[in-house]
């Protein structure tokens, strides 16, 4: 007697919910992931370091709101990779 188990990978491991990041939030996130400092990103994007911090805080809030906490740079890197916002080659 054989069991007919036809689970799909999606049913076992559903796609994570992506937060609705604005184009500017994505730009700031990508810049920060590629750089060594928030000051460097700020200079590159012609904004203040405080504005970079504000964008990153909002990005983290949006990830938390969909149940995908990203409290560290490493966690944000993982989320951006999972969501296709960056590739390993870009980092």
């Amino acid at each position: 007697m054989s069991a007919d188990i036809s689970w799909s990978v999606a049913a076992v491991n559903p796609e994570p919910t992506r937060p609705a990041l604005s184009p500017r939030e994505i730009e700031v996130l990508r810049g920060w992931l590629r750089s060594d400092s928030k000051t460097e990103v700020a200079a590159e994007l012609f904004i203040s370091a405080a504005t970079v911090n504000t964008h990153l805080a909002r990005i983290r809030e949006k990830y938390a709101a969909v149940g995908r906490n990203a409290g560290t740079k490493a966690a944000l890197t993982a989320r951006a990779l999972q969501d296709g916002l960056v590739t390993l080659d870009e980092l």
Side-chain angles (χ1 to χ4, degrees):
M1 182 157 90
S2 66
D4 181 25
I5 299 175
S6 57
W7 294 341
S8 71
V9 173
V12 175
N13 190 8
E15 282 289 315
T17 303
R18 293 181 182 182
L21 302 181
S22 72
R24 188 60 164 180
E25 288 170 336
I26 293 170
E27 184 178 25
V28 170
L29 176 61
R30 290 173 59 125
W32 187 58
L33 296 178
R34 290 188 315 260
S35 72
D36 292 328
S37 73
K38 294 173 185 173
T39 304
E40 186 179 317
V41 178
E44 178 184 312
L45 297 177
F46 304 102
I47 58 178
S48 71
T51 301
V52 171
N53 283 329
T54 298
H55 281 297
L56 292 172
R58 288 184 183 152
I59 291 165
R60 286 190 171 105
E61 288 171 5
K62 288 180 178 185
Y63 270 108
V66 297
R68 298 173 66 206
N69 290 328
T72 64
K73 188 172 186 176
L76 276 176
T77 302
R79 299 293 182 232
L81 286 165
Q82 291 166 345
D83 292 345
L85 299 174
V86 294
T87 65
L88 286 176
D89 290 338
E90 292 174 299
L91 301 175

